[in-house]
Amino acid sequence: MRGRLSVLLLLCLLAVRPARAADDIATSFDLPVQVGVMAFTPFFGMDETQNPPVPQGLLLPVLSALMREAGLPYHISVLPPQRLYRNLVSGQSHMTLSIAAIPEIDDYMLPLAAPVASLSLDIYWRADEPAPPDIPPPAWWSGKAVCRVQGFSYAGVVRQLNGLAQPPRWHVTKSRQQALLLLGERRCDYLLDYAIPESSLEKMTASSEPALIQHQTLREVSWQVMVSANAPHALALRDRLAAAHQRLQASGVLSHLLPISTHQEEENALYPPRMPDGVTPH
């Protein structure tokens, strides 16, 4: 009788084990989930009119909907790029919703398979200057004076261009507004930056003439949910978020919340997509 009871007890434990594993995050995870996002207007930023300031941005509703669907309490920190990278590598920030293919952190992240949205990486120039080719070849960049914002690798494009025999002459600024100012003052020939919404572009160039600034798309870059491989229960967290993302996609909720394109354009060889698979940390 005792042997039969032991077998029954073992079977019961095996039967409930998957449920316990599924609940690991809710019971054992270091809650709330620490979500780090990059300070990147207008997608993520802080509303300084509130006391204390609170996160805001076009992608905040998407992130909030995902965490609610996953059933996870969370805290969002809006951080400068380099600080966010350090936190994700160490696991201090458990996850992020960020532009994919960031060379500084790729080897430490467990991304969801499906991207959340996409954002174009653009090149800007003054209308009275020659327009770049539709697909600028590597040689075209050589010796050009190009502005970019500090802390952004632009999905690895900066590293690729720095590998040229004669890379661009970079003018690194602390903000988009400062970069646009340098472009307007002819202190650089071109600006490399993610797409700037027309309304924001008009505000940033209010001191000059926004009609003088032209732009075209180099490539599309994915916005992706990524979990730090050094976060507690990292694989379980990623799987739970992936399941929540699938449910939101199937219900059509995301299509109503997304303020930017979810369409991925074909990309050329100089700006190839880099969608890292799940990898283990070094």
Side-chain angles (χ1 to χ4, degrees), residues 101 103 121 136-139 141-142 148 153-168 170 192 218-219 221 267-274:
L121 175 60
W141 293 93
S142 295
R148 62 181 175 90
S153 62
Y154 298 109
V157 169
V158 170
R159 180 176 293 184
Q160 290 174 325
L161 295 179
N162 280 339
L164 299 175
Q166 187 179 358
W170 297 112
L192 180 68
L218 291 177
R219 60 163 289 190
V221 180
E267 294 152 350
N268 61 73
L270 180 61
Y271 320 104
R274 297 179 62 249

Side-chain angles (χ1 to χ4, degrees), residues 99-152:
I99 291 166
I102 301 174
E104 292 90 337
I105 63 172
D106 277 354
D107 290 347
Y108 300 88
M109 304 308 296
L110 302 171
L112 272 61
V116 172
S118 67
L119 176 68
S120 63
L121 175 60
D122 290 1
I123 182 169
Y124 294 79
W125 71 96
R126 288 181 56 88
D128 54 359
E129 294 291 335
D134 289 341
I135 302 177
W140 179 86
W141 293 93
S142 295
K144 296 286 192 303
V146 182
C147 288
R148 62 181 175 90
V149 181
Q150 179 180 355
F152 290 92

Side-chain angles (χ1 to χ4, degrees), residues 196-218:
I196 304 173
E198 294 299 329
S199 58
S200 298
L201 183 61
E202 290 176 6
K203 292 177 182 177
M204 291 178 181
T205 56
S207 59
S208 58
E209 299 181 51
L212 292 178
I213 305 298
Q214 304 293 312
H215 63 96
Q216 69 184 36
T217 297
L218 291 177

Side-chain angles (χ1 to χ4, degrees), residues 12-267:
C12 290
L13 289 173
L14 290 174
V16 301
R17 187 175 179 181
R20 288 180 57 84
D23 289 339
D24 263 355
I25 301 175
T27 57
S28 303
F29 197 82
D30 184 18
L31 295 177
V33 177
Q34 298 300 318
V35 183
V37 295
M38 188 184 301
F40 185 11
T41 305
F43 304 103
F44 289 113
M46 296 296 291
D47 183 357
E48 301 292 345
T49 66
Q50 303 296 315
N51 188 18
V54 297
Q56 65 176 3
L58 296 179
L59 286 177
L60 188 61
V62 175
L63 183 55
S64 298
L66 178 66
M67 301 307 290
R68 287 196 303 269
E69 181 66 26
L72 295 171
Y74 62 97
H75 177 266
I76 296 178
S77 298
V78 181
L79 305 170
Q82 295 302 323
R83 183 178 172 191
L84 174 63
Y85 301 161
R86 290 195 299 270
N87 284 6
L88 288 169
V89 168
S90 68
Q92 183 176 343
S93 291
H94 302 150
M95 59 170 287
T96 187
L97 171 57
S98 177
I99 291 166
I102 301 174
E104 292 90 337
I105 63 172
D106 277 354
D107 290 347
Y108 300 88
M109 304 308 296
L110 302 171
L112 272 61
V116 172
S118 67
L119 176 68
S120 63
L121 175 60
D122 290 1
I123 182 169
Y124 294 79
W125 71 96
R126 288 181 56 88
D128 54 359
E129 294 291 335
D134 289 341
I135 302 177
W140 179 86
W141 293 93
S142 295
K144 296 286 192 303
V146 182
C147 288
R148 62 181 175 90
V149 181
Q150 179 180 355
F152 290 92
S153 62
Y154 298 109
V157 169
V158 170
R159 180 176 293 184
Q160 290 174 325
L161 295 179
N162 280 339
L164 299 175
Q166 187 179 358
R169 292 180 288 112
W170 297 112
H171 293 260
V172 182
T173 66
K174 293 183 178 180
S175 69
R176 288 175 148 190
Q177 190 161 3
Q178 185 181 3
L180 283 167
L181 181 63
L182 293 184
L183 181 64
E185 294 176 346
R186 303 178 187 275
R187 294 166 65 184
C188 60
D189 303 319
Y190 300 93
L191 165 63
L192 180 68
D193 200 4
Y194 293 113
I196 304 173
E198 294 299 329
S199 58
S200 298
L201 183 61
E202 290 176 6
K203 292 177 182 177
M204 291 178 181
T205 56
S207 59
S208 58
E209 299 181 51
L212 292 178
I213 305 298
Q214 304 293 312
H215 63 96
Q216 69 184 36
T217 297
L218 291 177
R219 60 163 289 190
E220 296 286 323
V221 180
S222 295
W223 280 90
Q224 200 162 19
V225 174
M226 298 182 285
V227 174
S228 168
N230 287 322
H233 306 285
L235 289 172
L237 176 58
R238 182 193 61 181
D239 292 346
R240 186 156 177 165
L241 291 168
H245 182 229
Q246 288 179 344
R247 292 193 298 270
L248 289 176
Q249 280 188 313
S251 66
V253 170
L254 284 184
S255 62
H256 294 290
L257 293 175
L258 285 171
I260 53 181
S261 171
T262 57
H263 177 63
Q264 293 291 302
E265 301 288 349
E266 184 177 353
E267 294 152 350

Side-chain angles (χ1 to χ4, degrees), residues 2-12:
R2 178 177 297 178
R4 183 177 298 176
L5 288 174
S6 298
V7 171
L8 289 174
L9 180 59
L10 178 60
L11 290 174
C12 290

